[in-house]
Amino acid sequence: MTVLQPVLSVRNLVKHFPVRGRGLLRRRVSDVHAVCDVSFDLYPHETLGLVGESGCGKTTTARVLLNLQPATAGHIRYQGTELTSLPRKAMQRLRRELQIVFQDPYAALDPRLPANEIIAEPLRIHGLYSPSASDSIASDSCGRDKVRELLALVGLKPEHGNRFPHEFSGGQRQRIGIARALALRPKVLILDEPVSALDVSVQAGVLNLLADLQAQLGLSYLFVSHDLSVVRHVADRIAVMYLGRIVETGTSDELFSAPAHPYTQALISAIPLPDPRKERARERIILTGDVPNPANPPSGCRFRTRCPLFTAQLTDPQRHRCTTEIPPLTDHGHGHPAACHYADLPSLSAVRALREREGR
Amino acid sequence: MTAMGDAVLEVADLRVEFRTDEGRAQAVRGVNYQLHRGEVLGIVGESGSGKSVASMAVMGLLPGSARVFGSVRFGGRSGGTELLGASDSEFSRVRGQGISMIFQDPMSSLNPVYTVGYQIAEAIRAHHDVSRAAARKQAMELLEAVSIPNPTERVDNYPHELSGGMRQRVVIAIAMANRPEVIIADEPTTALDVTVQAQILEALRTAKVQTGAAMLLITHDLGVIAGQADRVLVMYAGRVVEAGTVEEIFYTPRMPYTLGLLGSQPRLDERRTRLHPISGVPPSVIDLPSGCPFAPRCPLAAPVCEAEEPPLAATGSNGHLSACHFSDQLAGLEPGDLFRPLSRDTAS
Amino acid sequence: MRDRELPVAQRSQAQLVLRRFRQHRLAVSSLIVLLALVLLAFVGGWLWRYSVADLTSDESVPPSWAHPFGTDAAGHDTFAQVLRGTQISIGISVLVAVFATVIGTVWGATAGYYGRRLDTVMMRIADLVLTLPLLAVAAVLGHNVGGSWWLIAVVIAGLYWAYVARVARGVVLSLREKEFVEAARAIGASDARIIFRHLVPNAFGSIIVNATVLVSVAILLETALSYLGFGVRPPDTSLGLLVSEAQTAVETRPWLFFFPGLFIILIALTINFIGDGLRDALDPQQTRVRK
């Protein structure tokens, strides 16, 4: 992997949303720090999982990558082209290569258009569609056959193309969304919670489909999700986000076998296993409190307000460092980087200590 | 397992129908179960399986357009009461004291214009003759029991000042307030983040232990069921298709649908493998075909499956029930033995 | 289970809409009635032996073979007058509906889609138009441009587009947050394409209902203007003018009031039902077929 050039390279990405007052002038009162100093690389043919809970900035990151929202600061480089400063025209051309699949299969499809039209839409926009060009000759343009081909590619019956979105099930709708994203033959697919809205038996089919498409078309995936079990299943590498920052990143195996950041540890331990004996035997780290308001994030380490290490194990001088100093994303001897000053402390004991103190 | 005699809630042949423009929708088609004192009974199913409608029927919360048949007997300290067709006043007496409910959206059970402390105190005072001060003190204790930090301050907060997870804990505190015999929790953690879900599950456990109530836990999440339930009902197309202890359901499932669900679930404790989805989509509850509703998606389907809907019958070990003509053939099978790891399923 | 149907040939969207419209029986019969009315008014008016201005020797006769709708005190043939009035009223109302809807939709959708300052400026202008006392402005303009029916239509439309703009903006404002709009942007759709291909069609239900209401409003407004003497002037006539002129004769010569009134109701009703049919035909989620 070292010799490969990343297809997508993100450096120090920042995205702030202004919070405006209610008055006539709607003055900027403060900023929501949705994404803060995020850097990662996406390599060809790999799946990078971007994981976190609601409000961690993972979805905003996905939107900013596609220039659907402008970045506040930082760089996004796609195959050497800087996207943040790209003129609109040039970005339109690049949209053929960078595509996105949305979370909600009900909202992401125009309810007024039949499936055929939804899938043909990107082709039309990029001047690649002519309904008469029924034979896929050498020409660049393609017609209804292309749409039928795409429907078949995602596992739908081409003759169902006349149906409207509401006539499909959730899983089928998500497949239409995938077909639309694939119509322009992209190289990078950003999957924003692509299976979160689906029932488990249907979700499995879509996950298998995404795996097949990746192998078949050589796609790179940025897989954004809150569900660690799904990400564990699809991702080669994982970046964990908390309150706008990446707190830990590594290969899927590294992260699950030796999670270094207390948040990652808590996240993994909080996911219920569909296995009664294992599930009941697990030691669970229960975080206290809720995610702080991103308009007013804690100083220093953003996780410290909920951190079991911080509350139960650290000494006051150590805590001082957590409150004042933003932990950099560095390796603490786990073989992969984590953004915690004390990632090298044994952590599960912290939980035990906490539990004993609380007398549970 | 507990003896049959101590059922606190007994549901018999529960059926729910809706009239729609397209025809008669049979959302629940004959559900039977007993909830025993102190146990957690999990009901698991996907959207449209009827699991939520069935529990809404038990709670008497269905809209007027629904037609409910069968029997729901609440048999607690207050003696057996038939809940179906009970008057509003009977129902509200049972709801407060005998049965408490927790829903997916905590705001649906909280009144936005009163403080949470007031609402908990009201729940206590509605059924017990205690002073305001005493009720307030109890409210604070309950908030502490569900691990709300700074209960002395939080007691004066309004619901909108709390986060989603905290609101849900307030709802749990209200549910505990009158020491109910049954707590019905319908997707209590679905809208929440996993770290918050863990907190809520912990609070639910506390509620159960402190009140000694039996719990009906309705969820689509197999992981939650695995961790919380003693016994499990698997629902599909308005019926219970498999029932057993949590270990029976997870380790020796005897209904292809259950096996399919387990094979579809990506697991945190396993490396990347191919999932085994169930082909097709659940049937519409309008115009259900005769025969087994799972047959069109079932790899074991045979002509008998389309002709005759299998009854929920004993299989394998004692008390394990399955609605499948071929349940005995499933012994020892893994999901991968039955379901193919497809990605393109043009059957639907 | 839904798969019983055989593979069907691909249909264009227009064909799908047409097919759905045809299933809406009330709308289809309304369309037939309205077309019949239009035909009657424009072709029949030409063929009928009397014209609007003709004075016959029969004064104040009730309906008969010679005068199916009777005559007024001056001897005008009411049938001829009603036909002419229908021409004018349909012309005005359709013109108003089309003008106001097109301008209002484009204005409101643009404001709603772009939001922020452009929205503020555009909607303040629309609000300003709404504050103009409609009748006064129409009366002044009507007085100056004098009697030409299409100018009256333009004046009414020029004041009513702002209502449509508000409706369109409201709908677009809620629609633009939907993911399918973001999806369109992600595949590279231009703003114009997003507005006109995705947002406006989805707002169509509310807009079309508004347009059909506008038709009725236009007929009534024209009536009011004519009554005040600023609209269509004799010897030319409109349904509104006929009704207002016949007000005093309701008891003595009811046919003078009854027939133009009936035509107003027929036009307003049929256009409303056609609007309903269009709205349902354009909304693929509307599955119920009305009989």
Side-chain angles (χ1 to χ4, degrees):
Chain A
M1 232 182 251
T2 43
V3 284
L4 276 178
Q5 287 292 311
V7 266
L8 195 66
S9 182
V10 177
R11 287 292 170 274
N12 312 103
L13 191 68
V14 177
K15 176 68 186 174
H16 290 174
F17 291 105
V19 180
R20 293 186 190 274
R22 286 206 158 260
L24 192 62
L25 297 173
R26 314 219 328 119
R27 262 182 313 182
R28 197 182 183 115
V29 200
S30 66
D31 280 323
V32 172
H33 301 240
V35 179
C36 208
D37 200 20
V38 161
S39 305
F40 59 83
D41 289 320
L42 179 65
Y43 290 93
H45 314 316
E46 79 159 348
T47 300
L48 174 65
L50 200 57
V51 187
E53 297 179 287
S54 49
C56 74
K58 58 190 191 300
T59 290
T60 307
T61 306
R63 301 287 202 274
V64 172
L65 287 187
L66 286 173
N67 246 343
L68 292 175
Q69 281 160 2
T72 308
H75 301 282
I76 304 161
R77 222 163 260 127
Y78 170 73
Q79 294 194 327
T81 313
E82 177 63 46
L83 298 188
T84 47
S85 56
L86 208 60
R88 215 186 143 105
K89 267 267 167 61
M91 188 62 216
Q92 295 298 78
R93 273 199 300 281
L94 270 184
R95 292 211 182 281
R96 289 176 65 168
E97 317 213 340
L98 288 159
Q99 275 301 319
I100 180 167
V101 175
F102 292 90
Q103 167 175 11
D104 184 353
Y106 296 82
L109 306 178
D110 187 339
R112 298 265 161 160
L113 298 181
N116 277 335
E117 287 295 315
I118 290 171
I119 297 169
E121 188 73 356
L123 298 169
R124 282 183 204 273
I125 288 166
H126 291 268
L128 303 174
Y129 188 83
S130 60
S132 52
S134 51
D135 301 303
S136 27
I137 331 167
S139 80
D140 197 22
S141 68
C142 38
R144 288 187 181 153
D145 280 359
K146 171 76 175 174
V147 173
R148 296 174 67 86
E149 203 181 288
L150 282 162
L151 280 167
L153 182 70
V154 297
L156 292 171
K157 284 185 183 168
E159 55 274 26
H160 289 174
N162 282 327
R163 293 188 178 175
F164 288 91
H166 75 273
E167 296 174 273
F168 292 97
S169 70
Q172 291 171 325
R173 273 180 245 202
Q174 200 55 299
R175 286 166 190 261
I176 295 173
I178 294 170
R180 169 176 60 192
L182 292 178
L184 296 169
R185 303 183 161 280
K187 295 198 172 64
V188 174
L189 211 51
I190 291 172
L191 303 157
D192 184 10
E193 304 261 15
V195 295
S196 312
L198 306 178
D199 273 322
V200 121
S201 71
V202 175
Q203 159 181 311
V206 174
L207 288 175
N208 283 351
L209 173 70
L210 288 170
D212 288 350
L213 290 171
Q214 184 169 41
Q216 214 172 325
L217 307 172
L219 297 163
S220 308
Y221 288 159
L222 180 70
F223 196 104
V224 178
S225 178
H226 71 281
D227 189 335
L228 263 184
S229 13
V230 169
V231 170
R232 160 81 161 157
H233 187 81
V234 300
D236 302 302
R237 290 189 306 124
I238 295 175
V240 181
M241 284 186 80
Y242 183 81
L243 212 56
R245 286 184 191 277
I246 292 183
V247 295
E248 184 164 1
T249 174
T251 67
S252 185
D253 286 341
E254 285 169 349
L255 216 80
F256 283 99
S257 57
H261 197 283
Y263 177 63
T264 316
Q265 291 162 356
L267 202 56
I268 291 174
S269 93
I271 309 255
L273 288 175
D275 185 324
R277 281 178 212 141
K278 279 192 193 173
E279 172 66 10
R280 284 159 209 235
R282 286 167 92 199
E283 198 144 8
R284 181 148 283 153
I285 305 172
I286 300 209
L287 295 179
T288 51
D290 296 286
V291 181
N293 181 0
N296 185 20
S299 65
C301 172
R302 289 188 173 187
F303 183 60
R304 68 179 160 82
T305 51
R306 299 174 74 198
C307 182
L309 219 57
F310 185 85
T311 20
Q313 217 178 10
L314 298 186
T315 61
D316 279 342
Q318 284 176 316
R319 283 186 190 158
H320 181 72
R321 193 167 165 216
C322 293
T323 27
T324 50
E325 209 179 300
I326 297 172
L329 200 56
T330 49
D331 193 344
H332 293 264
H334 297 81
H336 64 274
C340 173
H341 294 305
Y342 304 105
D344 38 3
L345 293 179
S347 54
L348 269 178
S349 61
V351 188
R352 259 176 240 127
L354 180 70
R355 294 200 157 201
E356 273 159 27
R357 240 168 57 158
E358 287 180 3
R360 286 201 195 157
Chain B
M1 251 189 84
T2 36
M4 293 301 274
D6 59 353
V8 280
L9 189 70
E10 192 168 352
V11 172
D13 196 26
L14 182 69
R15 283 173 292 135
V16 181
E17 286 177 13
F18 293 93
R19 292 216 173 280
T20 69
D21 292 336
E22 286 100 45
R24 196 171 55 126
Q26 297 167 280
V28 179
R29 305 181 300 128
V31 164
N32 298 284
Y33 60 82
Q34 292 185 326
L35 179 65
H36 301 288
R37 199 173 298 284
E39 77 167 343
V40 178
L41 178 63
I43 301 185
V44 69
E46 297 182 287
S47 39
S49 63
K51 61 184 190 306
S52 277
V53 176
S55 51
M56 299 274 273
V58 170
M59 298 181 271
L61 293 176
L62 285 175
S65 61
R67 289 150 53 87
V68 186
F69 311 92
S71 155
V72 177
R73 286 194 76 79
F74 171 67
R77 288 172 292 219
S78 42
T81 317
E82 174 61 45
L83 294 183
L84 279 195
S87 69
D88 279 355
S89 62
E90 273 178 292
F91 231 121
S92 63
R93 189 174 57 82
V94 171
R95 262 191 218 146
Q97 253 185 319
I99 305 183
S100 292
M101 302 163 207
I102 297 157
F103 300 99
Q104 176 177 339
D105 176 14
M107 276 317 259
S108 66
S109 358
L110 293 175
N111 187 333
V113 302
Y114 294 113
T115 64
V116 296
Y118 179 82
Q119 294 186 56
I120 301 171
E122 276 305 290
I124 297 167
R125 281 162 53 83
H127 300 279
H128 296 278
D129 191 20
V130 291
S131 71
R132 273 178 200 285
R136 186 182 156 90
K137 193 165 161 287
Q138 272 188 42
M140 275 190 259
E141 284 164 11
L142 285 167
L143 287 178
E144 184 148 27
V146 294
S147 307
I148 285 193
N150 310 325
T152 44
E153 287 167 33
R154 290 298 183 190
V155 73
D156 292 320
N157 277 163
Y158 288 90
H160 70 89
E161 295 173 292
L162 303 177
S163 68
M166 263 206 273
R167 281 180 209 149
Q168 193 63 297
R169 275 182 274 183
V170 170
V171 173
I172 295 173
I174 293 175
M176 292 166 69
N178 287 298
R179 309 204 147 264
E181 289 178 68
V182 175
I183 296 175
I184 300 179
D186 189 356
E187 301 273 9
T189 61
T190 301
L192 306 168
D193 280 321
V194 273
T195 56
V196 181
Q197 166 172 297
Q199 298 169 352
I200 297 299
L201 293 176
E202 189 81 3
L204 274 178
R205 244 192 307 265
T206 310
K208 190 182 141 325
V209 170
Q210 289 205 358
T211 61
M215 193 186 300
L216 198 58
L217 178 65
I218 297 117
T219 177
H220 69 281
D221 191 328
L222 290 168
V224 170
I225 290 283
Q228 313 297 320
D230 301 313
R231 283 194 307 131
V232 182
L233 308 176
V234 181
M235 282 191 72
Y236 187 78
R239 280 185 74 204
V240 175
V241 293
E242 183 161 8
T245 64
V246 69
E247 301 220 334
E248 283 165 350
I249 297 292
F250 279 85
Y251 298 132
T252 57
R254 289 298 181 91
M255 165 72 197
Y257 175 64
T258 314
L259 204 63
L261 271 187
L262 292 168
S264 307
Q265 176 81 48
R267 295 173 62 142
L268 202 60
D269 54 343
E270 276 169 14
R271 295 194 50 189
R272 273 179 97 148
T273 44
R274 194 85 176 155
L275 298 170
H276 297 90
I278 306 173
S279 70
V281 289
S284 155
V285 289
I286 302 165
D287 302 327
L288 265 177
S290 62
C292 173
F294 188 61
R297 307 174 70 188
C298 182
L300 285 182
V304 62
C305 301
E306 271 155 42
E308 192 190 321
E309 183 159 9
L312 189 64
T315 177
S317 52
N318 193 21
H320 191 173
L321 305 173
S322 153
C324 178
H325 291 302
F326 303 109
S327 58
D328 294 337
Q329 291 184 17
L330 288 169
L333 287 189
E334 293 284 315
D337 302 333
L338 210 53
F339 293 91
R340 283 178 300 155
L342 293 176
S343 67
R344 295 184 183 87
D345 154 38
T346 38
S348 49
Chain C
M1 251 113 287
R2 287 196 201 137
D3 293 46
R4 278 188 228 112
E5 68 185 289
L6 296 165
V8 281
Q10 302 211 357
R11 288 181 299 257
S12 78
Q13 224 188 324
Q15 283 170 315
L16 287 168
V17 169
L18 201 67
R19 210 179 59 143
R20 299 176 67 92
F21 184 79
R22 280 212 304 266
Q23 289 172 344
H24 201 295
R25 291 200 195 158
L26 195 54
V28 174
S29 21
S30 292
L31 187 66
I32 293 168
V33 171
L34 186 69
L35 283 178
L37 275 176
V38 170
L39 214 67
L40 182 70
F42 286 88
V43 180
W46 223 58
L47 297 176
W48 185 238
R49 61 192 113 129
Y50 303 108
S51 80
V52 213
D54 286 350
L55 291 174
T56 68
S57 52
D58 304 318
E59 289 158 17
S60 299
V61 296
S64 66
W65 282 115
H67 305 285
F69 289 2
T71 61
D72 67 7
H76 291 110
D77 179 63
T78 312
F79 186 57
Q81 295 213 311
V82 167
L83 292 187
R84 176 61 184 161
T86 306
Q87 287 177 17
I88 300 285
S89 293
I90 288 180
I92 289 181
S93 50
V94 169
L95 216 61
V96 167
V98 170
F99 275 7
T101 303
V102 170
I103 299 171
T105 302
V106 173
W107 192 274
T110 308
Y113 176 71
Y114 287 103
R116 295 166 188 265
R117 250 167 233 152
L118 186 69
D119 179 38
T120 314
V121 171
M122 287 179 84
M123 289 328 284
R124 287 299 155 274
I125 295 174
D127 287 347
L128 197 73
V129 171
L130 287 176
T131 58
L132 294 176
L134 190 80
L135 221 48
V137 174
V140 169
L141 286 172
H143 186 72
N144 291 332
V145 297
S148 172
W149 67 269
W150 61 271
L151 270 172
I152 294 167
V154 170
V155 169
I156 299 176
L159 292 166
Y160 266 95
W161 65 266
Y163 280 104
V164 183
R166 284 180 78 154
V167 173
R169 172 187 176 261
V171 181
V172 166
L173 217 53
S174 68
L175 281 174
R176 70 164 189 182
E177 303 300 330
K178 291 266 170 78
E179 269 184 345
F180 71 82
V181 173
E182 201 153 31
R185 213 172 293 142
I187 54 177
S190 62
D191 289 345
R193 191 176 180 94
I194 291 174
I195 293 175
F196 294 110
R197 179 153 168 91
H198 298 291
L199 292 175
V200 170
N202 276 286
F204 217 82
S206 324
I207 293 171
I208 205 99
V209 169
N210 237 266
T212 52
V213 172
L214 268 187
V215 168
S216 323
V217 168
I219 291 179
L220 296 177
L221 203 65
E222 180 271 325
T223 308
L225 287 176
S226 300
Y227 184 74
L228 294 170
F230 301 118
V232 177
R233 284 170 216 174
D236 210 346
T237 193
S238 71
L239 291 178
L241 191 61
L242 286 174
V243 168
S244 64
E245 278 173 346
Q247 266 185 349
T248 51
V250 179
E251 307 250 308
T252 51
R253 288 158 293 167
W255 59 88
L256 289 183
F257 181 83
F258 177 76
F259 288 107
L262 178 75
F263 272 58
I264 290 181
I265 292 172
L266 269 181
I267 295 170
L269 266 184
T270 49
I271 288 188
N272 265 298
F273 289 139
I274 294 169
D276 270 4
L278 267 180
R279 185 191 57 204
D280 292 353
L282 288 164
D283 179 1
Q285 290 179 49
Q286 178 69 256
T287 51
R288 194 169 44 187
V289 178
R290 297 228 201 109
K291 303 283 151 65

